[in-house]
Amino acid sequence: MISTDSKIIKLCSSREAAYLRLLFIAITGLIAYSNTFQMSFNFDDIVNIVNNPVVKEFNVSGFKQALQSRRAFGIFTFQLNYFISGTNVIGYHLVNIFIHISAGFLVYALITLLLSAPYFKSEQEVKENSLSIPFISALLFVVHPVQTQAVTYIVQRFASLATLLVLASIVCYLRGRVIQHSSERSFCAECGWFAAALLAGLLAFYTKEIAYTLPVVIVLVEFAFFDLKRAKIIGLVVAALSSITIILVKFSSGYIAVDNIISKLDDITRIQTITSRSDYFLTQLRVIVTYIRLLLFPVNQSVDYDYALSHSFLEWRVFASFLLILTMICFALWLIFAYRGGNKYLRLSAFGILWFFLTLSVESSVLPIIDLIFEHRVYLPSVGFIMAVSSFGLSLGWRYGSLNISQKVLLGFLSIALVLAGATWKRNLVWTNDKTLWEDATAKKPGSARAWNNFGGALIKQREGKKALFALIKSIELDPSKPDAWNNLGIAIDLLGVYKDRFNRTAEVFKDPRAIEDRVVSRWLGEVNNSLGLAYEITGNFPKAAENYRNAAGYSPSLGIAYFNLAIVSAGMGDYRTIAEQQQILWLVDPVLAERLKSRLSGLVPTD
């Protein structure tokens, strides 16, 4: 009688069970994301989808506007979604999950084709149990919780769709190359697969910039798995670098002058930030290690990370990260050039490691991006990392362990996959709405001013004004330089209703052409500090309230409401001397408020 373990092993590795493996991947992926269909638009979804006029135009005009973007094909899919289902989130989530599971299938196809490359064929290295490598890799890719940001966060379809197209391009290319090395060559079939690879690559280029590494990845495939002479390798490298150069020049021009092109290239390789390239690179060394940690141990995930910039290579975290990265790259190169142990499957591990760093290079190198770290950026690189871990663990189990040990390794990977699927299902709950998303972020990353501000904004949407005040106060305490947090504070106070006569709702002054005038800025600073004082007062922190009312009066000495509020909070603290001082100032600055203050405090303040 065949044991359950033996049946599972056969499912994972027999050639006859290939379709069952794909079915298992799809079902497991669907279960892991089964709770996402009602998850609302979150974060940048509102700007990029719900309130984006281009997305709402499924016509020639809309297509022309989309083509002006470097992400035209991704935008087209959102236009199609909006045309079919408007702002009903179910349709968007269905498409995202379909893309994700399809990408998992292509991971399976990619590794299966690599195992058919000349590197393995030459010595009959492809054994039946090796088919568990593509299965385990694809399964881990689909169920890993680090992928939730690229799948459940709707607008990050750009990352998942670009990955799908990059994988499709490489798979089509490999199909053509494998046919070239087969005994039944077909010129038409080769041309068809290479044309499909080119089309998928072009669509990937017009989906997200991470696809620009595709030509170099294909060179890496050739170098690692096909028998090439030096001249052909050089030709491929030149072709890949030329492709990348053409892409960059294309997106930087309209200009003929070289200096203009160089200037534009600098612009398109710097996204919404003035961070120096050196500081960004040093910080990314630490970020890459965080990505590795998340792939190995996906705990403490967050939509927002309070990452500080690094400025020196000698910072111990930077230097230690550099050493780890260098060790991994050197290990991969050693496996390719110097390893003579006979375990050819370790070439997949080397390829996966180099894939990881290469595909991460667009967003984690010297090209500054305003956000230092986002989990969706590791979606494409994770293909290589998971491939490396799976092939390393499984192949070592076959080569150096008994049959029993190798089976336990395989069952261990399956168990890990099921645990990760559960973690993915649970992680998706965080994306239910803005409130749950940013509540999770503030709990995990309490030093992030943006997380607290966005949490406050989410609470405002749900009309929870007093709770929003606590979040917005925290945001301002962490970073008082963000006008939107100050403005949200006024909106939250306004929700409470009973304080309408004690503050002015502020608009973002820096959008006003007069913002450069000192008197305008001073007035705004006075009003927002008055609002902050009122927020502290509402939440029961009277000393901080008094401090901010004084700040408000300091910035804007004619702001009578600041003196009025200082007197009110001083009454709450029993500071009658300060009340008298503010009353005297108000008689000079705003007699109407002075009279109102006198009436309000009548009977509450001793007359002697």
Side-chain angles (χ1 to χ4, degrees), residues 128-319:
E128 188 169 270
N129 60 5
S130 70
L131 297 178
S132 60
I133 296 178
F135 171 57
I136 292 297
S137 297
L139 181 62
L140 290 174
F141 173 82
V142 167
V143 302
H144 202 293
V146 81
Q147 316 293 28
T148 52
Q149 193 172 108
V151 182
T152 312
Y153 181 14
I154 296 172
V155 78
Q156 290 313 325
R157 177 185 301 176
F158 289 117
S160 59
L161 181 59
T163 296
L164 176 74
L165 293 167
V166 166
L167 289 168
S169 180
I170 298 171
V171 166
C172 291
Y173 179 83
L174 277 169
R175 285 284 293 168
R177 292 290 281 128
V178 169
I179 289 173
Q180 281 184 338
H181 282 78
S182 70
S183 57
E184 300 178 359
R185 289 192 63 178
S186 168
F187 180 74
C188 290
E190 289 174 31
C191 291
W193 284 112
F194 290 143
L198 179 61
L199 176 61
L202 288 173
L203 292 176
F205 292 156
Y206 276 94
T207 301
K208 194 175 182 184
E209 294 80 354
I210 55 175
Y212 298 167
T213 57
L214 174 59
V216 185
V217 173
I218 289 177
V219 172
L220 181 61
V221 168
E222 288 283 350
F223 183 79
F225 300 103
F226 290 85
D227 299 324
L228 295 180
K229 295 180 180 179
R230 181 178 299 177
K232 191 168 183 179
I233 292 174
I234 293 173
L236 281 169
V237 171
V238 171
L241 294 177
S242 299
S243 300
I244 294 171
T245 302
I246 290 169
I247 292 166
L248 293 175
V249 170
K250 174 191 180 302
F251 287 129
S252 66
S253 58
Y255 300 91
I256 297 177
V258 174
D259 57 341
N260 281 336
I261 290 178
I262 292 173
S263 174
K264 288 292 290 181
L265 284 173
D266 181 70
D267 289 342
I268 67 171
T269 56
R270 179 185 297 279
I271 302 177
Q272 299 177 342
T273 182
I274 59 172
T275 302
S276 72
R277 297 184 189 278
S278 60
D279 286 353
Y280 187 81
F281 173 74
L282 293 174
T283 307
Q284 287 307 304
L285 293 174
R286 294 166 42 224
V287 168
I288 290 170
V289 172
T290 298
Y291 289 146
I292 293 171
R293 193 270 299 167
L294 285 170
L295 286 166
L296 290 173
F297 304 103
V299 296
N300 207 29
Q301 288 180 253
S302 178
V303 69
D304 194 66
Y305 288 80
D306 49 334
Y307 241 84
L309 274 172
S310 293
H311 304 287
S312 172
F313 182 70
L314 296 179
E315 290 180 32
W316 77 266
R317 288 185 180 86
V318 173
F319 188 69

Side-chain angles (χ1 to χ4, degrees), residues 33 143-152 290-291 293-306 373-376 378 419-431 436-446:
Y33 286 91
V143 302
H144 202 293
V146 81
Q147 316 293 28
T148 52
Q149 193 172 108
V151 182
T152 312
T290 298
Y291 289 146
R293 193 270 299 167
L294 285 170
L295 286 166
L296 290 173
F297 304 103
V299 296
N300 207 29
Q301 288 180 253
S302 178
V303 69
D304 194 66
Y305 288 80
D306 49 334
I373 175 173
F374 263 132
E375 290 171 9
H376 65 261
V378 82
V419 170
L420 291 177
T424 293
W425 192 92
K426 184 176 181 181
R427 175 64 190 167
N428 280 324
L429 295 175
V430 168
W431 291 89
T436 56
L437 179 65
W438 293 107
E439 185 174 28
D440 175 79
T442 55
K444 302 234 182 108
K445 307 297 175 184

Side-chain angles (χ1 to χ4, degrees), residues 35 45 47 64 82 95 118 186-187 203 220 256 354 387 418 471 498 511 581 586 604 608:
N35 59 344
D45 288 340
V47 174
K64 285 182 178 179
Y82 190 87
V95 173
S186 168
F187 180 74
L203 292 176
L220 181 61
I256 297 177
L354 296 178
M387 183 195 310
L418 294 177
V498 296
K511 290 182 178 178
E581 291 174 353
L586 275 175
L604 297 177
D608 53 359

Side-chain angles (χ1 to χ4, degrees), residues 447-481:
S448 172
R450 178 171 67 175
W452 284 107
N453 178 47
N454 288 348
F455 184 37
L459 290 167
I460 287 172
K461 289 180 184 177
Q462 299 199 6
R463 307 194 68 79
E464 299 182 47
K466 191 164 184 178
K467 289 182 179 179
L469 289 182
F470 285 98
L472 295 167
I473 287 171
K474 183 68 174 178
S475 177
I476 292 169
E477 287 176 343
L478 288 167
D479 184 358
S481 69

Side-chain angles (χ1 to χ4, degrees), residues 560 583 585-598:
Q583 184 77 67
I585 295 171
L586 275 175
W587 285 119
L588 299 173
V589 172
D590 191 333
V592 174
L593 273 180
E595 188 63 43
R596 196 171 77 185
L597 176 64
K598 181 180 178 181

